[in-house]
Amino acid sequence: MSRQGGTGGTTSDAARRGLARLMLKLPALRTSLQAAASRSPDLDELFEAYEIAAVALETFRRAGDHVRTSEYEGLCSGIEDDVTQHILRTNSHIW
């Protein structure tokens, strides 16, 4: 993912890490995620948000903060759903 982002910079490290996490979490969509990442710079924000939320979730789990853990599990799940829906919409246009 070395393409230019929407603001003229390169894709952020957080976005790359978020994409990698999503590829691990959603293995059935790995190939589609890679393809979408290379052609849809608008997904970088979702990838970055996923990385930030996943890191926070890990922190809250380690701290034993059950309320925030639950909140961030829902947030991560919501981002996973958003990315999955984007992939499904994009792939349905191909067929």
Side-chain angles (χ1 to χ4, degrees):
M1 285 179 41
S2 61
R3 66 177 158 62
Q4 296 292 312
T7 59
T10 58
T11 301
S12 76
D13 288 342
R16 283 191 289 274
R17 288 190 306 271
L19 171 60
R21 282 182 191 268
L22 282 162
M23 289 170 57
L24 289 171
K25 182 72 176 192
L26 307 169
L29 297 178
R30 253 182 221 148
T31 303
S32 296
L33 279 166
Q34 286 178 315
S38 69
R39 68 176 180 266
S40 299
D42 54 316
L43 284 176
D44 285 350
E45 288 183 24
L46 275 175
F47 297 152
E48 189 169 341
Y50 190 75
E51 172 64 11
I52 292 166
V55 168
L57 174 58
E58 291 170 1
T59 301
F60 296 138
R61 279 185 177 147
R62 280 193 302 273
D65 187 336
H66 301 294
V67 172
R68 287 208 171 123
T69 295
S70 179
E71 178 183 346
Y72 275 77
E73 284 173 342
L75 183 59
C76 287
S77 179
I79 295 170
E80 292 162 14
D81 291 345
D82 289 347
V83 170
T84 299
Q85 290 305 312
H86 177 85
I87 297 296
L88 293 174
R89 280 192 309 273
T90 302
N91 287 347
S92 71
H93 288 56
I94 295 171
W95 306 108

